[in-house]
């Protein structure tokens, strides 16, 4: 089984937390459109956001009470603080994914959209592999018709 894992930043570190939640909701709903049912999505966050989920049974919110990654209450934190916040949340999500029997984990960000065939690819065709990577992807400018291929 493939587990998708993401985290939502601490609400104190966002200029517009509603926008963060909105983007996360779109990404989560994108992930839940898999052609295989052998997947689950984990979202680790400081407070469970209100998101209209298309497949709520496929999503588990894990709420943590970690302190904010920085003592300053500015939206802009340094890279190390963001990595600590995300990394500690990822550890919790990884443990939970393995706890329910996940064979593989794919991390995604709140602004990512992923193929609906990933779980099928992993579960049915390539389970003997130890991992995969994308050699190219697309950059989409939300709200426009602009999309571009990004190699490497």
């Amino acid at each position: 089984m493939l587990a998708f894992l993401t985290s939502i930043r601490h609400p104190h570190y966002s200029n517009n937390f509603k926008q963060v939640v909105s983007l996360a909701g779109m990404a989560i709903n994108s992930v839940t459109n898999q052609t295989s049912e052998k997947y689950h999505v984990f979202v680790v966050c400081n407070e469970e956001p209100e998101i209209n989920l298309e497949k709520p049974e496929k999503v588990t919110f894990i709420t943590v009470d970690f302190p904010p990654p920085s003592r300053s209450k500015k939206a802009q934190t340094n890279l190390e603080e963001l990595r600590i916040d995300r990394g500690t949340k990822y550890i919790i999500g990884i443990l939970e994914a393995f706890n329910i029997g996940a064979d593989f984990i794919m991390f995604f960000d709140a602004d990512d959209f992923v193929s609906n065939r990933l779980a099928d690819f992993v579960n049915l065709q390539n389970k003997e592999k130890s991992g995969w990577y994308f050699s190219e992807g697309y950059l989409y400018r939300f709200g426009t018709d602009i999309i571009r291929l990004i190699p490497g």
Side-chain angles (χ1 to χ4, degrees):
M1 178 182 62
L2 175 60
F4 293 94
L5 175 58
T6 192
S7 66
I8 297 178
R9 67 170 38 204
H10 197 289
H12 291 170
Y13 299 99
S14 173
N15 286 326
N16 186 341
F17 192 66
K18 285 184 180 185
Q19 172 115 15
V20 170
V21 169
S22 176
L23 283 171
M26 286 190 287
I28 293 164
N29 283 323
S30 163
V31 171
T32 61
N33 284 321
Q34 297 299 304
T35 55
S36 169
E37 288 299 313
K38 294 183 179 179
Y39 75 94
H40 198 79
V41 179
F42 294 92
V43 182
V44 186
C45 47
N46 293 87
E47 60 183 56
E48 186 172 332
E50 292 184 26
I51 296 174
N52 185 15
L53 297 173
E54 295 170 8
K55 295 184 180 176
E57 70 281 2
K58 294 303 238 174
V59 181
T60 298
F61 287 94
I62 304 168
T63 306
V64 296
D65 62 354
F66 299 151
S70 171
R71 291 187 182 169
S72 69
K73 291 203 174 189
K74 295 186 278 182
Q76 299 299 320
T77 57
N78 67 46
L79 189 57
E80 181 180 345
E81 293 165 341
L82 289 175
R83 285 181 176 161
I84 290 169
D85 185 53
R86 180 180 285 178
T88 52
K89 289 175 180 170
Y90 277 179
I91 290 168
I92 298 299
I94 290 168
L95 292 172
E96 190 61 32
F98 286 145
N99 196 35
I100 69 156
D103 300 302
F104 300 98
I105 295 174
M106 178 181 169
F107 300 98
F108 70 100
D109 293 330
D111 61 352
D112 290 344
F113 293 96
V114 301
S115 170
N116 66 343
R117 297 175 293 168
L118 284 172
D120 186 45
F121 175 82
V122 170
N123 292 312
L124 300 178
Q125 301 173 19
N126 295 286
K127 206 164 184 174
E128 74 284 351
K129 304 283 184 178
S130 59
W132 306 267
Y133 69 94
F134 297 101
S135 60
E136 59 189 20
Y138 292 94
L139 178 63
Y140 169 66
R141 188 171 302 244
F142 186 74
T144 71
D145 292 335
I146 299 172
I147 188 167
R148 126 182 137 180
L149 181 66
I150 306 292

